[in-house]
Amino acid sequence: MTSPRPAPGTSSSLARPTAPLPLRRRWAATLVVCLGLFLLGLDLTVLNVALPSLEDDLRPGVTALHWIVDGYALVLGGTVLTTGALTDRIGRRRAFVTGLAVCGTASALGALAPAPWQVIASRCVLGAGAALLMPATLALICHLFPEPQLRRRAIAVWTAVGGVGGLAGPVVGGWLVEHFSWRAAFWLNLPIAAIAITLALWLVPEVRSTRCEPVDVPGALLAAAGLLALVAAIIESPQLGWSSPPVLAGYGLAALLLSAFLLYEHRCRHPLLPLTLLRHPRIGMNAATLALMSFSLLGALFVMTLYLQGVLGYTPWQAGQHTLPLPASLAVGAAASQPVAGRMGEKRAVLSGLALVASAFTVLATTSSTSGYGHLVLFQILAGLGAGVAFSPATAAVMGAVPHHSAGLGSAINDATRQVGAALGVAVQGSVLATAYTTHARNNLADAGLSVPVRTAATDNILTAAATLPRLPAPQQTRLAAAVTDAFITGMSRTALIGAAVILATAVAVSYGYPARRARAVRQGR
């Protein structure tokens, strides 16, 4: 017998997924949830191209600029596992709406900030709001669509919107800086958050777990502290050096805290993170795949933005426009993921996506000083298509193996692995790029006939070198441009090879370790 459907916007505390709304209403609710996800992805990268404008206005130091960008990712990556588990208990719509409200408030404070430390604080609070919002998005979608086929389709939409939001950040940020100021990147969040909150209260049902288990406070604190220490160490590694005492101490502290967390969870009667989830083959393998793909792609996006501005000479707005093939291709790949997975199977769909991404990095590794933008378009199309095809079935596999009452936690596992992978990718590839660039630029400029101050500035980074060029006579401009372009492309090729190696290793692991048949959800619930 069919259970009665609650009215739109009412609470549903069901142990198993149901269809509480008509199909049209469910898709409308999904679009509302995706609007919040788009805001989250946008905030991750929107300030990257706005830093020069912010530096001219507030005069922050290099360290402050670094934390203005990374404070958001630090708090998001460090707390999302804890907030994901709490989402199941407090209610997924409540977590979604509260996260949006926190993001809106933090954005207003950031837009009005008169000092760099206040901008950093607002970005950290934004990260906290995003950590509350992000797991709720995917958990709500899983409740709205208990039917496997419709759920996979909805997750494909979720994947496309999340990817487009993050990758569109440089485009939106560049346009806002060129037409307004860096503060507009904060003001933009307010109308989006207000619209999403209003529509969520109207269209999205409340869902929470029926299991009245006590909150694992020690586990939550250990998980948050361990992930915060890990992400902070990753972010600081390129700046301080991978073997510097503070960085090593950060990694050591993270290892200690996360080991203590796992030990406590093993013995806890009501753990925040049941370790059976991590041992489940579909969850472990797909979460690792998502993390390693994020490692390669987000690192490549960071390098690509520098290439567009420093080598090809685009303004921030132009650079953002020239990254559009990547989110557009990702959206196409996500749309194609369901028919591809239906025809080829989940495992082969993931492998096909990984193959496309690996071929994209091969293209990027062959970039030369004469390649131009067309070469980069090919990389973006291949990488975007591959990411879209692989991300959707991998995400659906994680959520399909998690019990319904733990959907928020399952979403948080997915989100945490991707955030840590992305932070590590930017740190590692940025560090490799900086080392290779500095070494080759110094060698290339040794006999270029340039003054010591010019050589010193040019070997710092490619953007400083590009800013130095207009102040030099024509012959020196030519020599300097050739030297730094060669140095940057050398570094970019090395980062591309790292990305390709990581993707190929992931493909090998999926080939041999991916479960051949659909496994049941952990414990009960499905």
Side-chain angles (χ1 to χ4, degrees):
M1 183 174 67
T2 304
S3 59
R5 296 179 177 181
T10 59
S11 177
S12 174
S13 301
L14 302 174
R16 293 178 182 273
T18 62
L21 300 172
L23 184 59
R24 184 179 299 178
R25 199 66 172 268
R26 286 191 273 162
W27 279 113
T30 298
L31 293 179
V32 175
V33 168
C34 287
L35 179 61
L37 181 69
F38 179 82
L39 174 64
L40 186 156
L42 197 67
D43 283 334
L44 191 63
T45 56
V46 71
L47 278 183
N48 288 7
V49 295
L51 293 182
S53 172
L54 193 152
E55 186 174 14
D56 290 340
D57 187 11
L58 298 184
R59 301 294 179 184
V62 174
T63 302
L65 280 175
H66 183 56
W67 281 103
I68 286 171
V69 173
D70 292 331
Y72 178 84
L74 169 66
V75 177
L76 172 57
T79 61
V80 70
L81 186 62
T82 299
T83 57
L86 294 176
T87 293
D88 292 320
R89 292 170 169 83
I90 67 174
R92 295 163 191 171
R93 185 183 69 176
R94 180 180 296 175
F96 179 76
V97 169
T98 304
L100 284 169
V102 171
C103 288
T105 303
S107 298
L109 295 175
L112 298 171
W117 72 266
Q118 292 168 309
V119 180
I120 295 172
S122 70
R123 289 282 290 173
C124 290
V125 177
L126 260 173
L132 194 58
L133 181 159
M134 193 174 193
T137 60
L138 195 52
L140 282 166
I141 285 176
C142 288
H143 172 78
L144 288 167
F145 295 98
E147 308 92 337
Q149 185 175 3
L150 287 177
R151 177 183 297 177
R152 287 193 292 270
R153 188 178 300 171
I155 288 177
V157 174
W158 181 91
T159 300
V161 172
V164 169
L167 297 174
V171 184
V172 176
W175 186 84
L176 291 173
V177 169
E178 189 160 312
H179 292 84
F180 302 99
S181 77
W182 64 268
R183 296 181 186 274
F186 284 99
W187 287 124
L188 178 66
N189 288 348
L190 270 67
I192 297 177
I195 292 170
I197 288 172
T198 303
L199 293 177
L201 293 174
W202 175 35
L203 293 170
V204 179
E206 180 61 285
V207 189
R208 62 173 59 88
S209 174
T210 55
R211 296 194 171 190
C212 299
E213 299 174 349
V215 177
D216 177 15
V217 176
L221 294 176
L222 285 170
L227 286 173
L228 282 169
L230 176 61
V231 177
I234 291 171
I235 289 172
E236 284 297 317
S237 293
Q239 301 293 322
L240 301 179
W242 290 87
S243 59
S244 65
V247 169
L248 292 178
Y251 284 119
L253 179 62
L256 179 64
L257 290 169
L258 292 176
S259 297
F261 167 70
L262 293 176
L263 181 62
Y264 182 82
E265 296 301 280
H266 179 68
R267 297 180 176 181
C268 183
R269 186 173 181 181
H270 301 290
L272 177 81
L273 175 62
L275 298 185
T276 50
L277 288 177
L278 298 182
R279 291 195 295 267
H280 193 280
R282 295 174 67 78
I283 295 175
M285 179 58 68
N286 284 290
T289 299
L290 293 169
L292 292 172
M293 286 189 66
S294 298
F295 172 95
S296 297
L297 290 171
L298 269 294
L301 178 63
F302 171 76
V303 174
M304 185 174 69
T305 303
L306 293 176
Y307 176 77
L308 288 167
Q309 295 184 70
V311 175
L312 299 186
Y314 294 129
T315 66
W317 167 225
Q318 291 171 331
Q321 289 177 294
H322 285 79
T323 63
L324 282 175
L326 186 55
S329 300
L330 190 145
V332 172
S337 64
Q338 187 179 4
V340 170
R343 178 181 293 273
M344 302 175 61
E346 196 175 85
K347 176 179 177 179
R348 290 184 179 180
V350 173
L351 285 173
S352 298
L354 290 170
L356 283 171
V357 177
S359 65
F361 277 100
T362 302
V363 170
L364 190 64
T366 60
T367 303
S368 68
S369 58
T370 58
S371 294
Y373 176 64
H375 201 71
L376 205 60
V377 171
L378 180 59
F379 163 75
Q380 293 183 75
I381 291 174
L382 292 173
L385 289 174
V389 168
F391 268 135
S392 294
T395 301
V398 172
M399 298 307 297
V402 175
H404 179 64
H405 61 77
S406 297
L409 178 60
S411 178
I413 293 172
N414 170 63
D415 299 333
T417 52
R418 290 173 65 170
Q419 290 300 319
V420 171
L424 189 58
V426 173
V428 171
Q429 294 187 50
S431 181
V432 170
L433 175 67
T435 301
Y437 173 82
T438 299
T439 301
H440 284 79
R442 187 179 293 117
N443 293 337
N444 292 345
L445 293 172
D447 301 319
L450 300 172
S451 65
V452 173
V454 170
R455 291 202 307 271
T456 301
T459 55
D460 183 29
N461 62 72
I462 188 66
L463 296 181
T464 304
T468 304
L469 284 173
R471 301 196 296 266
L472 299 176
Q476 292 187 11
Q477 282 188 26
T478 302
R479 289 196 296 272
L480 179 60
V484 298
T485 297
D486 176 75
F488 186 88
I489 289 176
T490 299
M492 186 169 72
S493 296
R494 291 185 181 181
T495 64
L497 291 174
I498 291 173
V502 169
I503 294 298
L504 289 173
T506 305
V508 171
V510 170
S511 298
Y512 289 98
Y514 204 95
R517 296 181 180 179
R518 179 177 296 276
R520 293 182 181 179
V522 182
R523 297 180 183 176
Q524 299 90 23
R526 289 192 186 280

